Amino acid sequence: IRDPLVLFLLGGISLFAAYSMIEGRQQPVNLSVEMLAVLEQDYERLTGSQPSKTIRDQLIRDHYQQEVLFREALRGSMVKEDPEIREVLIEKMQESVAEDLSEPAASQLALFYAANIDRYYQESNLSFQQHVEIEEPADPLELLTALQEGRAPSSQPSRYGLEFSSYGDSMVRGLFGETVLASLLNAQLNVWFGPVPAVDGWHFFKVSDRQARKLLDYSLVEEQVRADYRVEQLQQRVDGFVSEFEQRYPLKLGAP
């Protein structure tokens, strides 16, 4: 074996085995306060909202499950077959746990769609344009008037563009942040507002259209429903698999 990654992983397995012998059958899964804070921050960056207690519990459970899957992957033989990074091992363990999942019947998919109807809405979206000035305008009100009357000078270029057609709220949040999104959602249609200071200059916006979220017809999301159903089947199978190892891998919150 000459691949350094293979040698590294095999060395890690040896250390893991030695640690197991020293510690006995219990091998705690430690989740520090700092690591939990990172998980919560990642969630907030992705969603734009702070995690509730339910979400926080799910973040802890997800971290715990991934650690158990990783450790069981190391104990098995698949490392020799495919010596990849941690995420690959976790994915392979999931595939192993769920390899005999059955194909769902049409009635099961329909029931799943009805039970999870909130997933299958098209996100509310915005159509708007922006005008960018590199320097803070000397007279913002004069520039707003010029923009409204269509006689303003050309905008400075923006890395995101100047025209945005039917952008979902989450995409707008990712591009401009929560504050700008809130302003766009509350702005009067076809009326310029600003300036909004940003790293690349001073931004003015005009919203031309807002569309509320709407339920997508089942025929349009059938494949997504099928995929979501399979994911839930997999999660149930993984829950059962991981629960068998909770005595071996006790979760200790707040541990370093």
Side-chain angles (χ1 to χ4, degrees), residues 15-108:
L15 290 173
F16 186 82
Y19 174 80
S20 300
M21 293 177 63
I22 294 172
E23 291 295 314
R25 293 187 61 84
Q26 276 205 347
Q27 299 153 29
V29 175
N30 297 324
L31 177 57
S32 67
V33 173
E34 292 78 10
M35 183 60 195
L36 180 56
V38 170
L39 296 177
E40 293 175 337
Q41 289 167 6
D42 287 344
Y43 176 87
E44 185 172 353
R45 277 194 293 268
L46 286 172
T47 65
S49 60
Q50 293 184 341
S52 63
K53 182 182 183 304
T54 299
I55 294 297
R56 183 177 181 274
D57 291 343
Q58 186 60 48
L59 292 174
I60 294 171
R61 183 66 183 173
D62 288 347
H63 175 85
Y64 176 74
Q65 285 190 348
Q66 289 183 2
E67 185 63 27
V68 171
L69 289 170
F70 175 63
R71 294 187 186 188
E72 284 305 300
L74 288 180
R75 292 179 68 249
S77 62
M78 65 180 64
V79 173
K80 300 175 184 177
E81 300 167 2
D82 191 358
E84 296 291 342
I85 59 175
R86 171 191 175 95
E87 286 73 16
V88 174
L89 293 176
I90 292 171
E91 290 175 5
K92 286 187 172 292
M93 282 299 296
Q94 289 175 329
E95 291 170 5
S96 175
V97 169
E99 61 185 357
D100 60 344
L101 288 176
S102 59
E103 183 66 20
S107 59
Q108 290 175 304

